């Protein structure tokens, strides 16, 4: 190859650098465009709400009745139905991010007691149904048995769990 | 192509770069499509499994509920093992129990027999296996999703009309 040819290759190499820069810029633009359109919102609020309800019903540290040797999951110990007990049943992080309202009724629909944790969050319940609400609520009524001084009685427990959406 | 072959060299570089760029672009597009990232504001919700376990406790409580000194578990055991309890007895007692709590907004099924349901909606049901023999279990399912939906919208009274 002659001198002119060398010069030409050198010129092409310079162009390569320019092309590489161009590719880099184009790649960044493509990634940025995709990045803007990707909004991954993984909502764990429902999962957290079900965890709260399940824990209330199944853990002896929460409301589940426990005998000498075993825990009777699903059966509520009336002596455990207190705000302090329910609060201590959650970790600090859960307590901060979740509000819980429990209403315990006997089988004749008489309110036996109500327990509320994180009252600021529970107060947001009316906003839950709104389209742009920052809060997600879960409502459910569970048929339960509760231990009242050694006697097993029928009743139901209403759960309202409020979670702040991230 | 000219005599010096300069344009050929430039063309080859251009073609290679264009092909590389196209390949990179296609790879990005394919990844974008496979990962299903195309939808704006895509929301991935995690929930179900635990809702089912919540209601399993409900069925357990049902089985432990006493009716005339027998539990529902005893009654189902007797019914399936040729005892004195007949299906209609279990059906009526179950209806009395659950209609008090959930009105008509529940569906219940024991071993394929529906209570308060024409066709049992298994999609949102929670089920447990209840052993009535060493070799036999009956499936007991409940679905209270209709009640929960109304309860959420403060319309649970509609279940008791």
């Amino acid at each position: 190859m002659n001198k002119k040819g060398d010069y030409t290759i050198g010129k092409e190499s310079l162009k390569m650098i320019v092309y590489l820069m161009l590719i880099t810029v184009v790649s960044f633009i493509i990634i940025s465009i995709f990045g803007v359109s990707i909004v991954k919102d993984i909502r764990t609020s429902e999962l957290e709400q079900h965890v709260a309800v399940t824990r209330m019903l199944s853990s002896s540290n929460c409301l589940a009745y426990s005998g000498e040797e075993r825990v009777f999951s699903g059966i509520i110990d009336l002596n455990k139905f207190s705000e302090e007990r329910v609060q201590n049943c959650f970790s600090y992080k859960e307590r901060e991010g979740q509000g819980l309202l429990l209403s315990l009724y006997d089988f004749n629909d008489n309110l036996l007691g109500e327990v509320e944790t994180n009252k600021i969050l529970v107060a947001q319940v009316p906003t839950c149904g709104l389209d742009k609400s920052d809060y997600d609520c879960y409502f459910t009524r569970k048929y339960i048995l509760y231990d009242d001084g050694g006697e097993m009685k029928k009743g139901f427990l209403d759960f309202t769990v409020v979670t702040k959406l991230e | 192509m000219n005599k010096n072959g300069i344009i050929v060299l430039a063309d080859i570089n251009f073609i290679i770069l264009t092909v590389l760029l196209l390949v990179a672009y296609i790879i990005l597009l394919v990844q974008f499509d496979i990962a299903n990232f195309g939808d704006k504001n895509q929301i991935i919700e995690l929930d179900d499994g635990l809702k089912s376990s919540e209601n399993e406790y409900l069925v357990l409580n049902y089985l432990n509920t006493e009716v005339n000194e027998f539990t529902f578990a005893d009654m189902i055991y007797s019914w399936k093992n040729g005892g004195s309890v007949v299906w209609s007895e279990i059906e009526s007692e179950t209806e009395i129990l659950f209609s008090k709590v959930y009105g008509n907004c529940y569906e219940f099924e024991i071993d394929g027999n529906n209570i308060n349901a024409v066709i049992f909606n298994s999609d949102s049901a929670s089920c447990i296996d209840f052993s009535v023999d060493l070799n036999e279990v009956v499936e007991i399912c409940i679905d209270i999703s209709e009640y929960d939906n109304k309860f959420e919208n403060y319309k649970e009274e509609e279940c008791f009309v």
Side-chain angles (χ1 to χ4, degrees):
Chain A
M1 201 169 279
N2 62 16
K3 285 179 182 175
K4 197 179 177 184
D6 288 343
Y7 171 72
T8 309
I9 290 167
K11 196 178 169 184
E12 288 302 319
S13 300
L14 276 173
K15 279 186 180 175
M16 287 279 282
I17 296 169
V18 174
Y19 286 148
L20 282 172
M21 286 171 70
L22 188 70
I23 290 170
T24 312
V25 170
V26 170
S27 302
F28 271 112
I29 291 169
I30 291 170
I31 291 166
S32 304
I33 291 167
F34 285 177
V36 168
S37 65
I38 298 168
V39 181
K40 285 183 290 181
D41 185 5
I42 300 175
R43 282 193 184 167
T44 56
S45 57
E46 286 194 37
L47 190 68
E48 291 161 18
Q49 289 160 356
H50 295 311
V51 167
V53 174
T54 304
R55 190 185 295 175
M56 282 297 142
L57 295 169
S58 63
S59 171
S60 63
N61 291 328
C62 298
L63 302 176
Y65 172 71
S66 51
E68 287 178 3
E69 291 180 350
R70 57 168 285 210
V71 178
F72 296 85
S73 294
I75 298 174
I76 304 298
D77 188 339
L78 210 55
N79 295 322
K80 292 181 179 176
F81 197 78
S82 70
E83 208 160 292
E84 190 186 357
R85 183 96 187 181
V86 172
Q87 275 194 337
N88 290 336
C89 185
F90 288 106
S91 68
Y92 175 77
K93 194 183 169 191
E94 287 169 325
R95 275 203 300 270
E96 289 300 298
Q98 211 165 51
L100 191 65
L101 174 64
L102 303 176
S103 307
L104 179 65
Y105 297 87
D106 68 12
F107 206 57
N108 294 317
D109 220 354
N110 299 312
L111 184 67
L112 297 176
E114 229 170 28
V115 165
E116 196 177 348
T117 65
N118 206 334
K119 293 179 182 176
I120 295 170
L121 275 183
V122 173
Q124 302 301 324
V125 167
T127 71
C128 282
L130 303 175
D131 285 343
K132 292 192 175 178
S133 175
D134 291 331
Y135 302 91
D136 187 35
C137 296
Y138 173 51
F139 303 87
T140 189
R141 167 170 286 190
K142 303 294 182 204
Y143 167 70
I144 49 121
L145 294 175
Y146 63 93
D147 177 73
D148 186 10
E151 191 184 349
M152 216 56 83
K153 293 180 176 174
K154 294 181 283 187
F156 39 91
L157 186 56
D158 289 353
F159 290 85
T160 303
V161 191
V162 187
T163 317
K164 188 166 184 1
L165 295 172
E166 295 293 328
Chain B
M1 185 192 291
N2 68 9
K3 288 175 185 175
N4 297 322
I6 295 167
I7 294 172
V8 173
L9 190 60
D11 280 349
I12 290 169
N13 280 338
F14 180 75
I15 290 165
I16 291 169
L17 284 168
T18 309
V19 169
L20 282 173
L21 199 61
L22 273 171
V23 168
Y25 189 71
I26 289 166
I27 289 170
L28 269 172
L29 278 179
V30 169
Q31 282 182 335
F32 189 79
D33 192 45
I34 289 172
N36 194 25
F37 286 157
D39 296 334
K40 283 192 172 182
N41 302 318
Q42 186 184 18
I43 296 170
I44 302 165
E45 290 189 351
L46 304 172
D47 57 348
D48 286 336
L50 280 161
K51 188 167 188 176
S52 179
S53 76
E54 281 171 30
N55 292 334
E56 284 170 17
Y57 295 125
L58 198 161
V59 180
L60 287 174
N61 278 334
Y62 160 79
L63 288 171
N64 287 321
T65 300
E66 284 191 5
V67 182
N68 302 326
E69 296 181 356
F70 292 102
T71 62
F72 277 103
D74 296 331
M75 291 170 73
I76 293 168
Y77 187 88
S78 170
W79 166 56
K80 291 304 291 182
N81 288 290
S84 59
V85 176
V86 292
W87 165 249
S88 59
E89 201 176 340
I90 295 172
E91 185 181 25
S92 64
E93 292 295 344
T94 304
E95 274 179 343
I96 289 167
L97 179 76
F98 284 127
S99 62
K100 178 89 178 170
V101 186
Y102 299 112
N104 53 21
C105 296
Y106 74 94
E107 293 178 15
F108 202 77
E109 186 186 61
I110 303 175
D111 201 25
N113 297 278
N114 295 336
I115 297 174
N116 201 43
V118 179
I119 300 168
F120 192 76
N121 179 12
S122 58
D123 288 344
S124 47
S126 306
C127 302
I128 66 165
D129 286 333
F130 175 63
S131 178
V132 290
D133 199 339
L134 280 176
N135 301 315
E136 191 183 359
V137 292
V138 296
E139 193 179 49
I140 303 174
C141 300
I142 191 162
D143 180 6
I144 56 166
S145 56
E146 190 185 348
Y147 184 89
D148 279 348
N149 289 337
K150 290 190 188 294
F151 191 33
E152 187 176 345
N153 296 307
Y154 305 101
K155 292 178 178 173
E156 67 268 29
E157 289 85 5
E158 291 177 8
C159 294
F160 297 91
V161 175

